[in-house]
Amino acid sequence: MHVPDGFIDAPVSAAAGVVAAGAVAVSLRGARRELDERTAPLAGLVAAFIFAVQMLNFPVAAGTSGHLLGGALAAILVGPYTGVLCVTVVLLMQGILFADGGLTALGVNVLDMGIVTTVVAYALFRGLLGVLPRTRRSVTVASFVAALVSVPAAACAFTLIYWIGGTTDIPIGKVFTAMVGVHVLIGIGEAVITALTVGAVIAVRPDLVHGARGLTSSLKLRVDGELVDAPAPQPAAPAAARSHRGIWAAGLVTALVLAGFVSYYASANPDGLEKVAADQGIDKKTEEHAAKDSPLADYGVKDVSDARLSGGLAGVIGVGATIVVGSGVFYVVRRRRTPDAPTDNAREKETA
């Protein structure tokens, strides 16, 4: 759903940029509460993982493909504010290095793919957890539903932006029907990827999943006919002291393999927005990307003739650049947190 230059007129693109910048500024402040010594390294990894998985287009229907948007996944793993920043870092890397998503449309893309998906997904995720049993399985189920809904929600947001500032005169009803129809299908793929990833992390390190914090119900014992809370078992070591290096290394290797090798076998069909744009005529005024001459444009390394090697190298470079930039951003954000400001995890412990 990367919007290129020329789809949306300059005034609306600028307005979207202002809204996106404001949301990112709010997220920078909010992320200070979400990031701690455990989650800051994980946040950079989440951004790199989203970058890698977005290279894996999967076929959906009628010559169309889709890929992960990642807002739901990021929000559930590291928190909604940090999730917005994760997706924003990915979009910056894609737009600047790989000429994917217009630079003048960067605000539109951040608003659509980063903010709308994250807000919708996390709000629905928390709402579902409020009515589902307090178990890890409920977190996975809620992740699936939230991710599924977030994709057509982003399609609706794009349709609204196009209705306000589209550069072609196409009936909005046709755009809405086409966008939502294909992105419901893409949402199924998004939901599967999100649920599998969240479930895998919960299985090995549930303490690292932001959306799973505080959900474990205490053990109940029946005493004199009444149920009372059993004494909490004492962990062998504080959760914060447990090393996250293993999962970080496993996640990095997975991202490198996906971007450097598996991406070669991704679907070559146009994604949902590209297909709708071509079918409906939205792309009539598409402009050339300002970074079209980048040595990594179109996810290939310039002057490397072998397609497999070129794409693989580009993917590895992208993962490396994303994790470096993302980790740097999250390290600075965490360092700027005031020493007496409690993290979200500490707040949950105080209210437990």
Side-chain angles (χ1 to χ4, degrees):
M1 203 181 294
H2 293 78
V3 179
D5 296 322
F7 274 27
I8 307 299
D9 63 29
V12 174
S13 294
V18 171
V19 174
V24 169
V26 171
S27 297
L28 285 169
R29 293 180 63 86
R32 296 178 190 175
R33 300 193 304 269
E34 295 173 345
L35 295 171
D36 54 28
E37 66 276 4
R38 295 173 300 157
T39 54
L42 181 63
L45 177 63
V46 168
F49 182 79
I50 290 173
F51 174 90
V53 180
Q54 282 198 4
M55 294 183 66
L56 308 180
N57 281 48
F58 48 85
V60 285
T64 309
S65 70
H67 62 69
L68 181 81
L69 296 185
L73 177 62
I76 294 165
L77 288 180
V78 293
Y81 294 109
T82 308
V84 169
L85 300 180
C86 283
V87 180
T88 299
V89 168
V90 172
L91 293 171
L92 280 170
M93 294 298 99
Q94 292 170 332
I96 295 172
L97 297 180
F98 298 92
D100 188 11
L103 295 183
T104 62
L106 181 60
V108 174
N109 285 319
V110 170
L111 179 59
D112 191 27
M113 297 177 64
I115 298 166
V116 170
T117 57
T118 302
V119 171
V120 170
Y122 198 72
L124 181 56
F125 174 80
R126 298 307 305 185
L128 289 172
L129 289 186
V131 297
L132 292 173
R134 297 167 64 85
T135 65
R136 296 177 184 177
R137 180 173 296 179
S138 296
V139 175
T140 304
V141 171
S143 300
F144 182 95
V145 177
L148 173 61
V149 174
S150 70
V151 178
C156 291
F158 168 79
T159 304
L160 176 61
I161 294 171
Y162 170 80
W163 179 53
I164 298 172
T167 55
T168 53
D169 187 18
I170 307 298
I172 192 63
K174 291 184 177 180
V175 176
F176 175 81
T177 301
M179 284 293 294
V180 174
V182 71
H183 284 92
V184 166
L185 299 177
I186 294 173
I188 296 173
E190 177 102 9
V192 171
I193 295 170
T194 300
L196 288 176
T197 305
V198 171
V201 179
I202 286 180
V204 293
R205 289 296 302 273
D207 59 298
L208 292 181
V209 179
H210 183 277
R213 293 176 179 175
L215 289 179
T216 303
S217 299
S218 59
L219 179 65
K220 299 288 185 180
L221 296 178
R222 186 173 295 278
V223 178
D224 296 332
E226 296 183 359
L227 290 177
V228 298
D229 292 340
Q234 297 298 320
R242 296 168 61 190
S243 173
H244 56 258
R245 292 180 181 177
I247 192 169
W248 195 92
L252 178 58
V253 169
T254 301
L256 290 172
V257 170
L258 292 175
F261 177 73
V262 181
S263 62
Y264 179 77
Y265 301 98
S267 173
N269 291 332
D271 66 24
L273 178 58
E274 291 174 331
K275 179 66 172 176
V276 171
D279 290 347
Q280 303 297 328
I282 298 175
D283 58 355
K284 291 178 181 178
K285 295 186 178 181
T286 303
E287 300 172 3
E288 285 191 340
H289 200 287
K292 64 182 179 61
D293 295 324
S294 165
L296 297 173
D298 297 325
Y299 298 94
V301 177
K302 190 176 182 179
D303 298 328
V304 176
S305 57
D306 184 272
R308 184 191 299 267
L309 179 60
S310 178
L313 286 174
V316 169
I317 293 170
V319 168
T322 303
I323 202 167
V324 168
V325 173
S327 297
V329 169
F330 299 125
Y331 175 79
V332 171
V333 172
R334 184 173 71 88
R335 292 281 293 179
R336 289 178 62 85
R337 179 167 61 89
T338 56
D340 58 343
T343 62
D344 285 351
N345 195 31
R347 292 175 186 271
E348 290 170 0
K349 289 181 178 179
E350 292 175 358
T351 57

